[in-house]
């Protein structure tokens, strides 16, 4: 059981490769200033689209509606530290900012399916608060 932080940057458009449960994915992030929202696109390691145009919102599995079998088996979720659950703004996903982008492995997702979801949410919130102390990306 693992929660993996997905690093985010301040540039309004960027691409990164991440490995989730042993599989490499390409993630494209675009910030739309007009609607003040981040959007994510997921591709396989060869750059073939899996799921496009996912708006980043807090507390919701961003891949929940994706039916492509190549998609990550776990959940990608934006976790907000504190009570402000509004979608992240351009600088809200940086280290020590209000939100974190996290990947929850498929074995934890099964806890939700079996009705133990509050345990996972408590752990995610604790992880979001602890990540505020992380020096990742500051050097």
């Amino acid at each position: 059981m693992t929660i993996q932080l997905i690093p985010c940057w301040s540039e309004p458009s960027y691409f990164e490769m991440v490995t989730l449960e042993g599989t490499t994915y390409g993630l494209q992030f675009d910030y739309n200033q007009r609607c003040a929202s981040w959007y994510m696109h997921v591709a396989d390691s060869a750059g073939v689209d899996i799921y496009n145009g996912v708006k980043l919102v807090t507390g919701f599995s961003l891949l929940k509606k994706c039916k492509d079998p190549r998609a990550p088996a776990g959940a990608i979720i934006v976790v907000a530290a504190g009570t402000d659950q509004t979608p992240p703004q351009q600088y809200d996903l940086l280290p020590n900012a209000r939100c974190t982008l996290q990947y929850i492995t498929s074995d934890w997702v099964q806890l939700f399916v079996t009705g133990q979801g509050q345990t996972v949410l408590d752990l995610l919130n604790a992880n979001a608060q602890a990540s505020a102390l992380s020096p990742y990306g500051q050097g």
Side-chain angles (χ1 to χ4, degrees):
M1 294 185 185
T2 303
I3 298 173
Q4 177 180 339
L5 292 178
I6 298 174
C8 296
W9 313 106
S10 62
E11 291 82 15
S13 182
Y14 64 93
F15 177 82
E16 65 184 324
M17 299 294 285
V18 296
T19 301
L20 307 172
E21 294 189 75
T23 303
T24 301
Y25 296 94
L27 300 179
Q28 172 71 40
F29 295 92
D30 296 302
Y31 187 74
N32 184 318
Q33 290 184 350
R34 185 174 186 184
C35 63
S37 298
W38 280 105
Y39 289 86
M40 176 180 70
H41 313 280
V42 181
D44 64 16
S45 61
V48 178
D49 290 340
I50 294 174
Y51 200 49
N52 289 316
V54 181
K55 182 178 181 178
L56 300 188
V57 295
T58 60
F60 181 78
S61 174
L62 300 175
L63 301 177
K64 186 174 184 170
K65 294 181 180 181
C66 181
K67 303 301 180 198
D68 192 316
R70 298 171 299 146
I76 297 176
I77 187 168
V78 175
V79 178
T83 58
D84 183 358
Q85 296 297 310
T86 59
Q89 302 295 301
Q90 184 171 359
Y91 302 105
D92 285 346
L93 292 167
L94 295 174
N96 300 321
R98 182 177 67 86
C99 299
T100 56
L101 186 62
Q102 301 181 13
Y103 178 75
I104 307 168
T105 55
S106 57
D107 50 356
W108 279 42
V109 171
Q110 286 304 312
L111 290 176
F112 278 104
V113 173
T114 60
Q116 300 174 41
Q118 188 59 47
T119 302
V120 176
L121 291 176
D122 292 341
L123 290 168
L124 286 172
N125 286 326
N127 194 33
Q129 293 169 2
S131 70
L133 303 175
S134 172
Y136 183 82
Q138 296 179 12

